[in-house]
Amino acid sequence: MSWWSRVRAWWTEDGITECNWPNDPDVTGPITFLTECKLRIGDGAEAMFDWLQDNLSGVFDAIALVLEAMIEAILALLQQPPNTSWISDVRLRDAQFLYAPDLHPFLIIAIFAGLAFWLHRTWKVPALLVAGFLFILNQDYWEETTESLTLVLSACVVCMGLGVPIGIAAAHRPKLYAWMRPVLDLMQTLPTFVYLIPAIVFFGIGMVPGLIATVIFVLPAPIRLTHLGISSTPKALLEAADAFGATARQKLWKVELPYATPQIMAGLNQTIMLSLSMVVIAALVGADGLGVPVVRALNQVNTGLGFEAGLIIVVVAIVLDRALRIKS
């Protein structure tokens, strides 16, 4: 029996390919096998998603509720002034103008500028941040910008909350990281539009599926950079900590994490930049933000609207990048 006949005899299980061979007369050799007998990869993926939807729908609903609550909380802080009815009780009514809805964007800008000054200890970065946000207000894109910032901040909370612990675990367990590397490569190289299909199936339309797709695309960045920072801790520092009797937890908090802080902050910066790059794609599944006018301009072939919205995204990216680029 030839090798080809043996392969044909081995591959007899029904359902593996779209052709019924060895009984298919069209399959006469290895070339026709590769071209005529297609593996049912798509059918297998569809069956897996159907099983997940049928058996884990409660888990997906719970995840959606938590993420929706977080998104609504962040969006409320950025768009709506807090309740200041208590101010009248202490007869400081003149101070209420600081919390008026029309002036609330300036309050948010002032908070961001204060944080930028605290991080950099210079007036140049806060001035750039204020100028960028004032330009956004001038172009009347404040609401869309806050919606995109909500998506970015939510993605940062989820990605850093998951990525940093996973990166630490991977740095302490080389075999775990060796197993994770192809998964991380797949998450970063698979077209982002592919993530939108299961996100819609499991979570419907809105901000949540956009956030889920963003997290899947962005999560490898904090994992890799945290792993790099922890694993590159000099052995001399670790040996000194051991010599002084430090426990594993003390070495992590007092040696490894301080040494890896620049890499972790770089992971945060990359998380924000990659999340911002997803705002247009997230708009395709109903997520609000700066991606909505871009998609509308694409549908209407409106070059002016597209350039205007795209420029706002660039301004937001530059402002956030400069604000978070901390010199180690």
Side-chain angles (χ1 to χ4, degrees), residues 21-322:
W21 69 284
N23 299 322
D24 192 345
D26 295 331
V27 180
T28 58
I31 299 299
T32 53
F33 162 71
L34 291 175
T35 56
E36 297 293 337
C37 297
K38 179 182 177 181
L39 295 176
R40 297 179 181 269
I41 302 298
D43 294 340
E46 185 176 356
M48 180 185 66
F49 290 136
D50 291 340
W51 184 89
L52 292 174
Q53 189 176 15
D54 294 337
N55 295 274
L56 299 179
S57 58
V59 176
F60 295 131
D61 292 340
I63 294 174
L65 289 175
V66 173
L67 294 180
E68 284 177 359
M70 179 177 62
I71 290 172
E72 291 176 359
I74 296 175
L75 191 61
L77 291 175
L78 294 178
Q79 288 189 345
Q80 301 174 6
N83 183 9
T84 57
S85 59
W86 59 272
I87 295 180
S88 60
D89 297 335
V90 294
R91 297 184 179 182
L92 293 177
R93 298 179 181 178
D94 294 338
Q96 289 190 15
F97 78 95
L98 293 175
Y99 300 94
D102 293 340
L103 297 178
H104 185 65
F106 297 101
L107 175 63
I108 298 299
I109 294 173
I111 293 174
F112 283 153
L115 291 174
F117 180 79
W118 178 72
L119 290 173
H120 295 270
R121 303 297 180 180
T122 180
W123 61 269
K124 294 181 179 180
V125 175
L128 176 64
L129 186 145
V130 171
F133 279 126
L134 289 179
F135 174 75
I136 292 171
L137 281 172
N138 173 262
Q139 297 297 307
D140 196 21
Y141 277 91
W142 179 255
E143 182 177 356
E144 292 83 357
T145 300
T146 55
E147 291 167 347
S148 293
L149 287 177
T150 298
L151 180 64
V152 171
L153 293 176
S154 300
C156 286
V157 172
V158 177
C159 290
M160 297 303 291
L162 295 175
V164 173
I166 294 175
I168 294 173
H172 290 162
R173 299 169 179 83
K175 291 183 178 180
L176 174 62
Y177 186 67
W179 176 84
M180 289 172 52
R181 287 180 63 184
V183 179
L184 298 177
D185 293 339
L186 179 65
M187 292 170 65
Q188 286 189 306
T189 56
L190 196 66
T192 52
F193 288 97
V194 178
Y195 302 144
L196 300 180
I197 301 172
I200 294 174
V201 172
F202 297 144
F203 301 100
I205 300 296
M207 293 285 284
V208 173
L211 176 59
I212 294 297
T214 301
V215 168
I216 296 174
F217 175 68
V218 176
L219 186 58
I223 292 177
R224 291 182 187 274
L225 288 170
T226 301
H227 169 268
L228 175 63
I230 297 295
S231 60
S232 61
T233 304
K235 292 183 179 180
L237 293 178
L238 298 176
E239 291 174 355
D242 291 332
F244 282 99
T247 63
R249 179 176 297 182
Q250 290 174 334
K251 286 195 297 183
L252 173 63
W253 287 98
K254 296 183 178 181
V255 178
E256 293 176 330
L257 284 178
Y259 186 85
T261 296
Q263 284 78 17
I264 295 175
M265 291 302 298
L268 176 61
N269 185 286
Q270 289 299 307
T271 298
I272 292 177
M273 293 298 103
L274 292 173
S275 300
L276 193 59
S277 69
M278 288 287 291
V279 296
V280 176
I281 297 176
L284 298 176
V285 294
D288 298 325
L290 293 170
V292 175
V294 174
V295 174
R296 187 184 305 120
L298 180 63
N299 293 332
Q300 299 174 356
V301 197
N302 189 334
T303 56
L305 178 62
F307 182 81
E308 189 177 80
L311 183 60
I312 297 299
I313 295 176
V314 172
V315 171
V316 174
I318 292 175
V319 167
L320 294 179
D321 178 66
R322 295 298 184 272

